[in-house]
């Protein structure tokens, strides 16, 4: 019985060591991936989306009595930025790493926001980006690390 208890303890310790090692390796791998990936396309796409939404909001304010607002078609540049952004996010090997990329973009861009509304739009656009790219929502990903 004592041998069985010792064996179980050794197996549990081995599993813990392997899990910890794999977790560290995954974190290091994500960190190196984030250093290699160019997130500028994602940042540009998000900035364009925020500017577009602000312009639409200004248009709605001017046209309060009119029910339909003509939406601007996405330009080829916007589409290209989005496509390249999605490709870059897709290269990251896990949802956790994709989430970290979105958090990194938030950290870079939130400093540029002049109003709280812009910061909220930034957060909303980043949270929608995985769905826009066709990945589906990222589970347990809060792009604003201050709110975790």
């Amino acid at each position: 019985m004592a041998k069985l208890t010792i064996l179980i303890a050794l197996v549990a310790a081995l599993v813990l060591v392997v899990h910890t090692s794999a977790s560290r390796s995954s974190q290091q791998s994500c960190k190196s991936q984030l250093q290699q990936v160019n997130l500028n396309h994602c940042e540009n796409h998000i900035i364009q989306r925020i500017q577009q939404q602000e312009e639409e909001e200004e248009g709605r304010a001017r046209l309060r009595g009119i029910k339909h607002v003509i939406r601007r078609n996405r330009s080829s540049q916007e589409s290209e930025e989005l496509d390249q952004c999605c490709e870059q996010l897709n290269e990251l090997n896990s949802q956790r790493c994709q989430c970290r990329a979105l958090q990194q973009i938030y950290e870079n861009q939130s400093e540029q926001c002049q109003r709280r509304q812009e910061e909220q739009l930034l957060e909303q656009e980043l949270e929608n980006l995985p769905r826009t790219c066709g990945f589906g929502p990222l589970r347990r990903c809060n792009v604003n690390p201050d709110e975790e």
Side-chain angles (χ1 to χ4, degrees), residues 28-74:
Q28 289 173 342
S29 174
C30 180
K31 188 174 183 176
S32 67
Q33 286 179 55
L34 287 173
Q35 289 172 345
Q36 294 173 0
V37 75
N38 179 359
L39 297 173
N40 287 342
H41 297 294
C42 293
E43 290 187 20
N44 292 339
H45 169 72
I46 295 298
I47 290 167
Q48 289 170 352
R49 289 286 301 144
I50 290 171
Q51 288 172 343
Q52 181 181 355
Q53 287 185 25
E54 287 178 336
E55 288 170 8
E56 288 175 3
E57 188 60 39
E58 288 172 11
R60 281 189 207 102
R62 280 186 255 128
L63 304 170
R64 288 184 203 260
I66 299 174
K67 292 185 179 183
H68 301 287
V69 176
I70 299 171
R71 296 194 89 176
R72 185 173 55 116
N73 289 335
R74 264 198 295 164

Side-chain angles (χ1 to χ4, degrees), residues 58-121:
E58 288 172 11
R60 281 189 207 102
R62 280 186 255 128
L63 304 170
R64 288 184 203 260
I66 299 174
K67 292 185 179 183
H68 301 287
V69 176
I70 299 171
R71 296 194 89 176
R72 185 173 55 116
N73 289 335
R74 264 198 295 164
S75 71
S76 61
Q77 181 184 2
E78 285 176 296
S79 293
E80 193 174 311
E81 291 286 1
L82 176 60
D83 291 344
Q84 291 177 345
C85 170
C86 294
E87 285 178 26
Q88 294 293 333
L89 287 177
N90 195 36
E91 288 180 15
L92 301 174
N93 68 1
S94 69
Q95 283 194 348
R96 180 179 288 171
C97 197
Q98 289 174 346
C99 180
R100 183 63 197 117
L102 297 178
Q103 289 172 337
Q104 187 173 316
I105 293 169
Y106 180 86
E107 290 169 6
N108 292 342
Q109 293 301 315
S110 64
E111 297 169 1
Q112 308 301 318
C113 294
Q114 297 174 356
R115 300 184 322 261
R116 177 66 185 142
Q117 182 182 4
E118 287 178 348
E119 197 170 331
Q120 289 170 333
L121 282 173

Side-chain angles (χ1 to χ4, degrees), residues 7-28:
L7 182 60
I8 291 172
L10 286 173
V11 169
L14 181 60
V15 168
L16 181 64
V17 167
V18 169
H19 177 71
T20 302
S21 174
S23 177
R24 282 189 187 137
S25 173
S26 174
Q27 287 174 352
Q28 289 173 342

